[in-house]
Amino acid sequence: MSNALIKAIEGAARIGISGHKRPDGDCVGSCLGLYNYIKDVYPEKEVTIYMESIKHEFCFLRYADQINHSFTDQKGHDLYVVLDCGDEERLGDYAIYLKKAKHIFCVDHHISNKGFGDEYVVEPEASSTCEVLFDMFDYDKISRECAEALYMGIVHDTGVFKHTNTSRKTMHIAGDLIAKGLNTSHIIDDTFYRKTYAQNQILGRALMESVLLMDGKVIYSVVTKEMLKFYGLTGADLDGIIDNLRMTEGVECAILMYEIGIDKYKISMRSNDFVNVSEVASGFGGGGHIRAAGCTLTGLSQKVLDKLLIPIREQLVAAGCIENETNVM
Ligand code: 5GP
Ligand code: MN
């Protein structure tokens, strides 16, 4: 299985790579990890990453400056690799490149990914797309720069090796990557933990305004456009808030809603032991993993919340976390 991607790369002259909208650490790490690998091992290939702008903290990765933001490339690709992306819609406007691609290859780890493209490798057990890619690469041919990208992706999707998706294999792979000579504390501190003053302020505000529901099993917080404007931030600055909500004592399921348009909310959900948030998100056209998922919903914030709470409540009752009669509030 692992060499299907390598075979596809070897048979292609012109290769495109894309990840999902609002690219996170695993998305950027996997796209740049693959890009670095192809540049190192197959320098004769023409390869391009098409993706939205990435956060400045990811820009230390080699070739981050070569990410292409255009939609106007008309030539088509022999091979188009889609990474860390559960469905075509998540590619956003870059999905147009799939139309002209001769061969589409998806590599992913989202349980909600039903498989798309001509070939796909989806491993829901893997911590990250970077972990899946690592298995496909020849270890001896992984450069330090490629290893940096893959390690960063694993760090982000495992929440620095603490989420339940962190397996023995994940740690082995991380060890093998570290052996390439990585400055791991730099990668972890500078790309994961460091926050600006304004980011810390909005974290504090979101926690202060959070609300407990259903006997304290559910917590939610809403970040409005006005709040983002006040602190001079965007949705990309809210990473980490959802995990703080999830870590509240007694909470099973955490919801962060942030406004991305008039009465339009991006939803992030996390659970600890029982609620399958991927199922909840998939019910609203989104997806993700069992313990971390998201979707987009339109409507007044209270109505959006009410919609989300129905399946969450059902799951909490089924798992015996709350009584059927428990008041939503
Ligand atoms: P986050 O809450 O960090 O934005 O996302 C958590 C997980 O759910 C990530 O793996 C992310 O890719 C996935 N996810 C978030 N939003 C969506 C969405 O709208 N659709 C799908 N398919 N997956 C999503
Ligand atoms: Mn991922």
Side-chain angles (χ1 to χ4, degrees), residues 20 24 26-27 30 84 108-110 127-130 153 157 289:
H20 61 74
D24 61 9
D26 185 33
C27 179
S30 56
D84 198 40
D108 190 24
H109 70 128
H110 291 95
S127 66
S128 51
T129 300
C130 287
D157 262 20
H289 311 286

Side-chain angles (χ1 to χ4, degrees), residues 32-43:
L32 279 168
L34 178 62
Y35 186 84
N36 271 278
Y37 191 81
I38 296 172
K39 285 279 197 190
D40 290 333
V41 184
Y42 306 101

Side-chain angles (χ1 to χ4, degrees), residues 20 87 90 110 112 266 268-270 285-289 292-296:
H20 61 74
D87 55 56
R90 284 274 285 160
H110 291 95
S112 55
K266 179 77 206 160
S268 268
M269 288 179 284
R270 298 291 185 272
H289 311 286
C295 55
T296 301

Side-chain angles (χ1 to χ4, degrees), residues 293-323:
C295 55
T296 301
L297 280 169
T298 48
L300 297 173
S301 64
Q302 190 57 46
K303 294 259 186 269
V304 166
L305 180 70
D306 287 347
K307 279 189 198 169
L308 290 166
L309 290 177
I310 294 168
I312 291 172
R313 182 190 173 84
E314 276 168 13
Q315 289 200 38
L316 286 171
V317 170
C321 296
I322 55 169
E323 302 286 331

